[in-house]
Amino acid sequence: MRVPVLTYHAMNVAGNDYHNNDHAALAADLRAIERLGLRIVPLALAIDALLGVAPESSVENSVALSFDDGSWFDWHDLDHPVFGRQRGFAGILRDFIAATGVTAHATSFVIVSPEARATLDCTCLIGRGWWTDDWWPQAAQEGLIAIESHSWDHNHHTLPLTAQREQRKGTFATIDDYADADAEIRRASDWLDAHCPTRKTSLFAYPYGESNDYLVREYLPRHTHEHRLRAAFATDARPLERDSNRWLLPRYVCGQHWNSPDAFERLLRDACALPGNSALRGKSQA
């Protein structure tokens, strides 16, 4: 079992080229995945296979997609004030499905707190109300993008107040006792389950990809009856495998672990143990 989990950030728009625009990268990567003969499976199915709920054959020769932060751009198209019209991640998935006839699915890990997102919309974006949650129930109903937890407030450094007891912000490694973990993780599960009742929160992605021994060895495995999660993801550049720690699962991040079509193909071939001769080789852009 080797399933690379690929991660994109819809707010990563610093141009219109592959290396500086996660929308452009996602559209190209979907085509590369299909040409290499790989399937795109729901992240929840990969966890089913990891936990023995589904057979490993159900995720053979496959990848899983995830999006982080849960902004407007995951679902809606965007008129960027500098770089023009951007196709939203959901639209890119729909275009790919319509063009190829193959299935695709992604999981969006969202920052849950409405108050935190309202502030982040101004401190990290341009204050146009793009960090909303109105699309989350729509996404859950359509079934194209699953909604899962990226914590209550990300312990983000631009927030005036976070759940972290000492206000040590800008890292998730400081979420290292029960009260802080419960406020960031269980509270997020509760809010999501109440506001998106057609689905139940079961997956978590560490903000900044950062964890600590308390979360991985104590809180998450010992308090499952409270937070109700099945697995948690960091950002180590490895495929999900049979012996992966369910509370510290790896993911590849666009821009961090690859930034070109050639690098993406090499990543997939290594992660999925694919043979060498590529239909893409010689056709990829640098």
Side-chain angles (χ1 to χ4, degrees), residues 137-177:
Q138 301 173 46
Q141 183 174 11
E142 181 181 4
L144 182 67
I145 298 178
I147 303 299
E148 295 288 358
S149 174
H150 201 30
S151 83
W152 179 248
D153 60 25
H154 208 281
N155 199 29
H156 202 277
H157 71 281
T158 68
L159 296 175
L161 188 68
T162 71
Q164 208 283 327
R165 63 194 181 281
E166 298 170 338
Q167 297 306 292
R168 291 184 290 157
K169 308 170 190 175
T171 174
F172 212 69
T174 58
I175 307 300
D176 57 3
D177 72 359

mmCIF file of all heavy atoms in Angstrom, residues 137-177:
data_model
loop_
_atom_site.group_PDB
_atom_site.id
_atom_site.type_symbol
_atom_site.label_atom_id
_atom_site.label_comp_id
_atom_site.label_asym_id
_atom_site.label_seq_id
_atom_site.Cartn_x
_atom_site.Cartn_y
_atom_site.Cartn_z
ATOM 1 N N PRO A 137 -21.622 23.276 3.410
ATOM 2 C CA PRO A 137 -22.753 22.337 3.255
ATOM 3 C C PRO A 137 -23.008 21.967 1.793
ATOM 4 O O PRO A 137 -23.372 20.829 1.493
ATOM 5 C CB PRO A 137 -23.931 23.107 3.864
ATOM 6 C CG PRO A 137 -23.309 24.100 4.794
ATOM 7 C CD PRO A 137 -22.038 24.509 4.117
ATOM 8 N N GLN A 138 -22.815 22.935 0.870
ATOM 9 C CA GLN A 138 -22.997 22.636 -0.550
ATOM 10 C C GLN A 138 -21.996 21.582 -1.009
ATOM 11 O O GLN A 138 -22.343 20.653 -1.752
ATOM 12 C CB GLN A 138 -22.812 23.903 -1.383
ATOM 13 C CG GLN A 138 -23.751 25.042 -1.064
ATOM 14 C CD GLN A 138 -23.377 26.300 -1.835
ATOM 15 O OE1 GLN A 138 -23.115 26.274 -3.036
ATOM 16 N NE2 GLN A 138 -23.336 27.432 -1.141
ATOM 17 N N ALA A 139 -20.753 21.730 -0.566
ATOM 18 C CA ALA A 139 -19.716 20.773 -0.944
ATOM 19 C C ALA A 139 -20.035 19.392 -0.394
ATOM 20 O O ALA A 139 -19.893 18.377 -1.096
ATOM 21 C CB ALA A 139 -18.366 21.248 -0.440
ATOM 22 N N ALA A 140 -20.464 19.337 0.854
ATOM 23 C CA ALA A 140 -20.810 18.051 1.462
ATOM 24 C C ALA A 140 -21.957 17.393 0.722
ATOM 25 O O ALA A 140 -21.970 16.166 0.521
ATOM 26 C CB ALA A 140 -21.162 18.257 2.936
ATOM 27 N N GLN A 141 -22.931 18.197 0.282
ATOM 28 C CA GLN A 141 -24.084 17.645 -0.426
ATOM 29 C C GLN A 141 -23.691 17.144 -1.814
ATOM 30 O O GLN A 141 -24.131 16.071 -2.242
ATOM 31 C CB GLN A 141 -25.191 18.697 -0.539
ATOM 32 C CG GLN A 141 -26.458 18.181 -1.207
ATOM 33 C CD GLN A 141 -27.577 19.210 -1.176
ATOM 34 O OE1 GLN A 141 -27.360 20.380 -0.834
ATOM 35 N NE2 GLN A 141 -28.775 18.799 -1.529
ATOM 36 N N GLU A 142 -22.858 17.880 -2.543
ATOM 37 C CA GLU A 142 -22.458 17.448 -3.881
ATOM 38 C C GLU A 142 -21.570 16.215 -3.829
ATOM 39 O O GLU A 142 -21.651 15.345 -4.701
ATOM 40 C CB GLU A 142 -21.715 18.575 -4.610
ATOM 41 C CG GLU A 142 -21.306 18.178 -6.023
ATOM 42 C CD GLU A 142 -20.544 19.269 -6.759
ATOM 43 O OE1 GLU A 142 -20.261 20.324 -6.157
ATOM 44 O OE2 GLU A 142 -20.220 19.067 -7.940
ATOM 45 N N GLY A 143 -20.699 16.133 -2.820
ATOM 46 C CA GLY A 143 -19.843 14.963 -2.678
ATOM 47 C C GLY A 143 -18.539 15.038 -3.440
ATOM 48 O O GLY A 143 -17.794 14.057 -3.463
ATOM 49 N N LEU A 144 -18.234 16.190 -4.027
ATOM 50 C CA LEU A 144 -16.986 16.336 -4.777
ATOM 51 C C LEU A 144 -15.815 16.671 -3.856
ATOM 52 O O LEU A 144 -14.696 16.200 -4.067
ATOM 53 C CB LEU A 144 -17.139 17.443 -5.824
ATOM 54 C CG LEU A 144 -15.942 17.708 -6.740
ATOM 55 C CD1 LEU A 144 -15.697 16.527 -7.671
ATOM 56 C CD2 LEU A 144 -16.178 18.991 -7.554
ATOM 57 N N ILE A 145 -16.077 17.498 -2.853
ATOM 58 C CA ILE A 145 -15.064 17.901 -1.890
ATOM 59 C C ILE A 145 -15.583 17.628 -0.486
ATOM 60 O O ILE A 145 -16.622 18.167 -0.087
ATOM 61 C CB ILE A 145 -14.709 19.401 -2.026
ATOM 62 C CG1 ILE A 145 -14.130 19.695 -3.412
ATOM 63 C CG2 ILE A 145 -13.720 19.820 -0.944
ATOM 64 C CD1 ILE A 145 -13.798 21.172 -3.634
ATOM 65 N N ALA A 146 -14.868 16.786 0.251
ATOM 66 C CA ALA A 146 -15.223 16.515 1.643
ATOM 67 C C ALA A 146 -14.674 17.620 2.531
ATOM 68 O O ALA A 146 -13.596 18.162 2.273
ATOM 69 C CB ALA A 146 -14.664 15.161 2.072
ATOM 70 N N ILE A 147 -15.407 17.960 3.579
ATOM 71 C CA ILE A 147 -14.996 18.989 4.524
ATOM 72 C C ILE A 147 -14.468 18.318 5.793
ATOM 73 O O ILE A 147 -15.173 17.535 6.435
ATOM 74 C CB ILE A 147 -16.161 19.928 4.880
ATOM 75 C CG1 ILE A 147 -16.738 20.563 3.603
ATOM 76 C CG2 ILE A 147 -15.717 21.001 5.869
ATOM 77 C CD1 ILE A 147 -15.757 21.411 2.828
ATOM 78 N N GLU A 148 -13.225 18.631 6.152
ATOM 79 C CA GLU A 148 -12.615 18.089 7.373
ATOM 80 C C GLU A 148 -11.882 19.210 8.121
ATOM 81 O O GLU A 148 -11.828 20.347 7.662
ATOM 82 C CB GLU A 148 -11.663 16.937 7.028
ATOM 83 C CG GLU A 148 -12.343 15.711 6.426
ATOM 84 C CD GLU A 148 -13.172 14.891 7.426
ATOM 85 O OE1 GLU A 148 -13.193 15.262 8.626
ATOM 86 O OE2 GLU A 148 -13.771 13.888 7.012
ATOM 87 N N SER A 149 -11.317 18.882 9.270
ATOM 88 C CA SER A 149 -10.831 19.893 10.205
ATOM 89 C C SER A 149 -9.357 20.236 10.027
ATOM 90 O O SER A 149 -8.497 19.350 9.950
ATOM 91 C CB SER A 149 -11.059 19.411 11.639
ATOM 92 O OG SER A 149 -10.473 20.299 12.575
ATOM 93 N N HIS A 150 -9.093 21.542 10.038
ATOM 94 C CA HIS A 150 -7.730 22.085 10.067
ATOM 95 C C HIS A 150 -7.530 22.881 11.360
ATOM 96 O O HIS A 150 -6.718 23.802 11.394
ATOM 97 C CB HIS A 150 -7.499 22.964 8.847
ATOM 98 C CG HIS A 150 -6.067 23.182 8.477
ATOM 99 N ND1 HIS A 150 -5.065 22.276 8.708
ATOM 100 C CD2 HIS A 150 -5.459 24.258 7.857
ATOM 101 C CE1 HIS A 150 -3.920 22.754 8.252
ATOM 102 N NE2 HIS A 150 -4.127 23.956 7.745
ATOM 103 N N SER A 151 -8.309 22.533 12.382
ATOM 104 C CA SER A 151 -8.271 23.112 13.723
ATOM 105 C C SER A 151 -9.276 24.260 13.856
ATOM 106 O O SER A 151 -9.860 24.729 12.882
ATOM 107 C CB SER A 151 -6.879 23.592 14.132
ATOM 108 O OG SER A 151 -6.596 24.877 13.635
ATOM 109 N N TRP A 152 -9.439 24.725 15.085
ATOM 110 C CA TRP A 152 -10.371 25.813 15.373
ATOM 111 C C TRP A 152 -9.866 27.133 14.798
ATOM 112 O O TRP A 152 -10.557 27.785 14.025
ATOM 113 C CB TRP A 152 -10.582 25.930 16.874
ATOM 114 C CG TRP A 152 -11.514 27.032 17.274
ATOM 115 C CD1 TRP A 152 -11.216 28.177 17.946
ATOM 116 C CD2 TRP A 152 -12.929 27.089 17.006
ATOM 117 N NE1 TRP A 152 -12.338 28.958 18.112
ATOM 118 C CE2 TRP A 152 -13.405 28.312 17.551
ATOM 119 C CE3 TRP A 152 -13.828 26.243 16.359
ATOM 120 C CZ2 TRP A 152 -14.748 28.696 17.471
ATOM 121 C CZ3 TRP A 152 -15.161 26.626 16.277
ATOM 122 C CH2 TRP A 152 -15.610 27.842 16.824
ATOM 123 N N ASP A 153 -8.646 27.533 15.136
ATOM 124 C CA ASP A 153 -8.170 28.850 14.685
ATOM 125 C C ASP A 153 -6.751 28.831 14.109
ATOM 126 O O ASP A 153 -6.168 29.881 13.890
ATOM 127 C CB ASP A 153 -8.255 29.871 15.821
ATOM 128 C CG ASP A 153 -7.416 29.493 17.044
ATOM 129 O OD1 ASP A 153 -6.428 28.745 16.891
ATOM 130 O OD2 ASP A 153 -7.761 29.942 18.157
ATOM 131 N N HIS A 154 -6.174 27.626 13.895
ATOM 132 C CA HIS A 154 -4.851 27.487 13.273
ATOM 133 C C HIS A 154 -3.731 28.024 14.167
ATOM 134 O O HIS A 154 -2.572 28.001 13.786
ATOM 135 C CB HIS A 154 -4.824 28.209 11.920
ATOM 136 C CG HIS A 154 -3.867 27.680 10.902
ATOM 137 N ND1 HIS A 154 -2.520 27.966 10.931
ATOM 138 C CD2 HIS A 154 -4.051 26.905 9.803
ATOM 139 C CE1 HIS A 154 -1.929 27.391 9.895
ATOM 140 N NE2 HIS A 154 -2.843 26.731 9.192
ATOM 141 N N ASN A 155 -4.100 28.491 15.363
ATOM 142 C CA ASN A 155 -3.132 29.202 16.213
ATOM 143 C C ASN A 155 -2.332 30.201 15.378
ATOM 144 O O ASN A 155 -1.106 30.314 15.500
ATOM 145 C CB ASN A 155 -2.189 28.219 16.930
ATOM 146 C CG ASN A 155 -1.504 28.850 18.131
ATOM 147 O OD1 ASN A 155 -2.038 29.747 18.773
ATOM 148 N ND2 ASN A 155 -0.299 28.383 18.441
ATOM 149 N N HIS A 156 -3.061 30.932 14.549
ATOM 150 C CA HIS A 156 -2.423 31.788 13.542
ATOM 151 C C HIS A 156 -1.826 33.038 14.166
ATOM 152 O O HIS A 156 -2.426 33.667 15.047
ATOM 153 C CB HIS A 156 -3.450 32.181 12.480
ATOM 154 C CG HIS A 156 -2.844 32.586 11.194
ATOM 155 N ND1 HIS A 156 -2.360 33.859 10.961
ATOM 156 C CD2 HIS A 156 -2.611 31.881 10.052
ATOM 157 C CE1 HIS A 156 -1.876 33.929 9.736
ATOM 158 N NE2 HIS A 156 -2.015 32.747 9.161
ATOM 159 N N HIS A 157 -0.651 33.417 13.691
ATOM 160 C CA HIS A 157 0.079 34.514 14.315
ATOM 161 C C HIS A 157 -0.574 35.875 14.110
ATOM 162 O O HIS A 157 -0.282 36.826 14.851
ATOM 163 C CB HIS A 157 1.525 34.557 13.798
ATOM 164 C CG HIS A 157 1.657 35.001 12.376
ATOM 165 N ND1 HIS A 157 1.409 34.152 11.310
ATOM 166 C CD2 HIS A 157 1.994 36.216 11.843
ATOM 167 C CE1 HIS A 157 1.613 34.814 10.187
ATOM 168 N NE2 HIS A 157 1.958 36.060 10.469
ATOM 169 N N THR A 158 -1.479 36.009 13.113
ATOM 170 C CA THR A 158 -2.107 37.308 12.882
ATOM 171 C C THR A 158 -3.389 37.503 13.691
ATOM 172 O O THR A 158 -3.973 38.592 13.639
ATOM 173 C CB THR A 158 -2.430 37.508 11.393
ATOM 174 O OG1 THR A 158 -3.467 36.596 11.004
ATOM 175 C CG2 THR A 158 -1.194 37.306 10.527
ATOM 176 N N LEU A 159 -3.826 36.499 14.434
ATOM 177 C CA LEU A 159 -5.038 36.641 15.234
ATOM 178 C C LEU A 159 -4.724 37.338 16.553
ATOM 179 O O LEU A 159 -3.700 37.060 17.186
ATOM 180 C CB LEU A 159 -5.647 35.265 15.518
ATOM 181 C CG LEU A 159 -6.154 34.485 14.301
ATOM 182 C CD1 LEU A 159 -6.627 33.098 14.715
ATOM 183 C CD2 LEU A 159 -7.274 35.247 13.596
ATOM 184 N N PRO A 160 -5.597 38.227 17.011
ATOM 185 C CA PRO A 160 -5.345 38.904 18.287
ATOM 186 C C PRO A 160 -5.397 37.956 19.479
ATOM 187 O O PRO A 160 -4.714 38.183 20.482
ATOM 188 C CB PRO A 160 -6.457 39.958 18.363
ATOM 189 C CG PRO A 160 -7.533 39.451 17.452
ATOM 190 C CD PRO A 160 -6.817 38.718 16.354
ATOM 191 N N LEU A 161 -6.191 36.888 19.367
ATOM 192 C CA LEU A 161 -6.321 35.929 20.456
ATOM 193 C C LEU A 161 -6.589 34.553 19.852
ATOM 194 O O LEU A 161 -7.423 34.409 18.956
ATOM 195 C CB LEU A 161 -7.482 36.313 21.373
ATOM 196 C CG LEU A 161 -7.649 35.515 22.670
ATOM 197 C CD1 LEU A 161 -6.484 35.799 23.621
ATOM 198 C CD2 LEU A 161 -8.969 35.851 23.341
ATOM 199 N N THR A 162 -5.868 33.541 20.335
ATOM 200 C CA THR A 162 -6.097 32.163 19.891
ATOM 201 C C THR A 162 -6.385 31.283 21.090
ATOM 202 O O THR A 162 -6.333 31.730 22.245
ATOM 203 C CB THR A 162 -4.878 31.609 19.125
ATOM 204 O OG1 THR A 162 -3.799 31.384 20.056
ATOM 205 C CG2 THR A 162 -4.419 32.553 18.028
ATOM 206 N N ALA A 163 -6.629 30.007 20.835
ATOM 207 C CA ALA A 163 -6.927 29.063 21.911
ATOM 208 C C ALA A 163 -5.698 28.712 22.740
ATOM 209 O O ALA A 163 -5.842 28.179 23.850
ATOM 210 C CB ALA A 163 -7.537 27.788 21.323
ATOM 211 N N GLN A 164 -4.519 29.011 22.242
ATOM 212 C CA GLN A 164 -3.293 28.645 22.958
ATOM 213 C C GLN A 164 -3.172 29.458 24.256
ATOM 214 O O GLN A 164 -3.260 30.673 24.246
ATOM 215 C CB GLN A 164 -2.069 28.886 22.065
ATOM 216 C CG GLN A 164 -0.867 27.986 22.358
ATOM 217 C CD GLN A 164 -0.093 28.417 23.587
ATOM 218 O OE1 GLN A 164 -0.003 29.595 23.900
ATOM 219 N NE2 GLN A 164 0.481 27.450 24.283
ATOM 220 N N ARG A 165 -2.986 28.778 25.366
ATOM 221 C CA ARG A 165 -3.097 29.371 26.696
ATOM 222 C C ARG A 165 -2.127 30.516 26.946
ATOM 223 O O ARG A 165 -2.451 31.467 27.681
ATOM 224 C CB ARG A 165 -2.909 28.284 27.763
ATOM 225 C CG ARG A 165 -1.532 27.618 27.746
ATOM 226 C CD ARG A 165 -1.510 26.339 28.578
ATOM 227 N NE ARG A 165 -0.186 25.707 28.578
ATOM 228 C CZ ARG A 165 0.288 24.958 27.587
ATOM 229 N NH1 ARG A 165 -0.449 24.753 26.499
ATOM 230 N NH2 ARG A 165 1.492 24.409 27.672
ATOM 231 N N GLU A 166 -0.947 30.466 26.374
ATOM 232 C CA GLU A 166 0.071 31.492 26.594
ATOM 233 C C GLU A 166 0.244 32.420 25.400
ATOM 234 O O GLU A 166 1.145 33.251 25.372
ATOM 235 C CB GLU A 166 1.413 30.826 26.927
ATOM 236 C CG GLU A 166 1.375 30.001 28.209
ATOM 237 C CD GLU A 166 2.627 29.152 28.391
ATOM 238 O OE1 GLU A 166 3.323 28.869 27.389
ATOM 239 O OE2 GLU A 166 2.885 28.764 29.537
ATOM 240 N N GLN A 167 -0.633 32.263 24.405
ATOM 241 C CA GLN A 167 -0.591 33.066 23.179
ATOM 242 C C GLN A 167 0.739 32.935 22.447
ATOM 243 O O GLN A 167 1.243 33.896 21.856
ATOM 244 C CB GLN A 167 -0.917 34.522 23.472
ATOM 245 C CG GLN A 167 -2.323 34.743 24.009
ATOM 246 C CD GLN A 167 -3.388 34.132 23.095
ATOM 247 O OE1 GLN A 167 -3.594 34.601 21.980
ATOM 248 N NE2 GLN A 167 -4.067 33.074 23.566
ATOM 249 N N ARG A 168 1.285 31.704 22.461
ATOM 250 C CA ARG A 168 2.460 31.396 21.645
ATOM 251 C C ARG A 168 1.940 30.949 20.280
ATOM 252 O O ARG A 168 1.610 29.789 20.065
ATOM 253 C CB ARG A 168 3.312 30.320 22.309
ATOM 254 C CG ARG A 168 4.009 30.795 23.579
ATOM 255 C CD ARG A 168 4.922 29.711 24.146
ATOM 256 N NE ARG A 168 4.155 28.601 24.685
ATOM 257 C CZ ARG A 168 4.622 27.358 24.844
ATOM 258 N NH1 ARG A 168 5.853 27.054 24.448
ATOM 259 N NH2 ARG A 168 3.851 26.419 25.372
ATOM 260 N N LYS A 169 1.871 31.888 19.369
ATOM 261 C CA LYS A 169 1.183 31.699 18.097
ATOM 262 C C LYS A 169 2.161 31.392 16.968
ATOM 263 O O LYS A 169 3.371 31.461 17.140
ATOM 264 C CB LYS A 169 0.380 32.956 17.748
ATOM 265 C CG LYS A 169 -0.554 33.451 18.836
ATOM 266 C CD LYS A 169 -1.110 34.815 18.477
ATOM 267 C CE LYS A 169 -1.848 35.449 19.633
ATOM 268 N NZ LYS A 169 -2.282 36.834 19.300
ATOM 269 N N GLY A 170 1.585 31.101 15.800
ATOM 270 C CA GLY A 170 2.389 30.883 14.610
ATOM 271 C C GLY A 170 3.001 29.503 14.522
ATOM 272 O O GLY A 170 3.843 29.254 13.647
ATOM 273 N N THR A 171 2.590 28.600 15.367
ATOM 274 C CA THR A 171 3.043 27.213 15.356
ATOM 275 C C THR A 171 1.975 26.364 16.025
ATOM 276 O O THR A 171 1.258 26.835 16.914
ATOM 277 C CB THR A 171 4.386 27.057 16.100
ATOM 278 O OG1 THR A 171 4.716 25.666 16.182
ATOM 279 C CG2 THR A 171 4.304 27.631 17.509
ATOM 280 N N PHE A 172 1.850 25.112 15.601
ATOM 281 C CA PHE A 172 0.920 24.213 16.290
ATOM 282 C C PHE A 172 1.651 23.336 17.297
ATOM 283 O O PHE A 172 1.034 22.585 18.030
ATOM 284 C CB PHE A 172 0.167 23.339 15.283
ATOM 285 C CG PHE A 172 -1.233 22.999 15.736
ATOM 286 C CD1 PHE A 172 -2.212 23.974 15.801
ATOM 287 C CD2 PHE A 172 -1.577 21.706 16.077
ATOM 288 C CE1 PHE A 172 -3.508 23.673 16.216
ATOM 289 C CE2 PHE A 172 -2.861 21.390 16.493
ATOM 290 C CZ PHE A 172 -3.832 22.376 16.564
ATOM 291 N N ALA A 173 2.969 23.431 17.340
ATOM 292 C CA ALA A 173 3.743 22.645 18.294
ATOM 293 C C ALA A 173 3.476 23.065 19.726
ATOM 294 O O ALA A 173 3.727 22.295 20.666
ATOM 295 C CB ALA A 173 5.233 22.770 17.981
ATOM 296 N N THR A 174 2.954 24.273 19.936
ATOM 297 C CA THR A 174 2.674 24.748 21.289
ATOM 298 C C THR A 174 1.312 24.293 21.812
ATOM 299 O O THR A 174 0.962 24.600 22.946
ATOM 300 C CB THR A 174 2.746 26.284 21.338
ATOM 301 O OG1 THR A 174 1.818 26.834 20.395
ATOM 302 C CG2 THR A 174 4.153 26.762 21.024
ATOM 303 N N ILE A 175 0.556 23.580 20.993
ATOM 304 C CA ILE A 175 -0.715 22.997 21.456
ATOM 305 C C ILE A 175 -0.350 21.673 22.128
ATOM 306 O O ILE A 175 -0.406 20.598 21.518
ATOM 307 C CB ILE A 175 -1.698 22.805 20.287
ATOM 308 C CG1 ILE A 175 -1.865 24.108 19.509
ATOM 309 C CG2 ILE A 175 -3.051 22.297 20.807
ATOM 310 C CD1 ILE A 175 -2.387 25.274 20.313
ATOM 311 N N ASP A 176 0.032 21.753 23.405
ATOM 312 C CA ASP A 176 0.677 20.603 24.032
ATOM 313 C C ASP A 176 0.104 20.232 25.389
ATOM 314 O O ASP A 176 0.775 19.611 26.216
ATOM 315 C CB ASP A 176 2.187 20.852 24.160
ATOM 316 C CG ASP A 176 2.511 22.115 24.951
ATOM 317 O OD1 ASP A 176 1.576 22.777 25.463
ATOM 318 O OD2 ASP A 176 3.707 22.448 25.043
ATOM 319 N N ASP A 177 -1.159 20.617 25.653
ATOM 320 C CA ASP A 177 -1.834 20.085 26.828
ATOM 321 C C ASP A 177 -3.300 19.846 26.481
ATOM 322 O O ASP A 177 -3.770 20.227 25.392
ATOM 323 C CB ASP A 177 -1.666 20.979 28.060
ATOM 324 C CG ASP A 177 -2.460 22.278 27.999
ATOM 325 O OD1 ASP A 177 -3.161 22.537 26.984
ATOM 326 O OD2 ASP A 177 -2.394 23.038 28.975
#
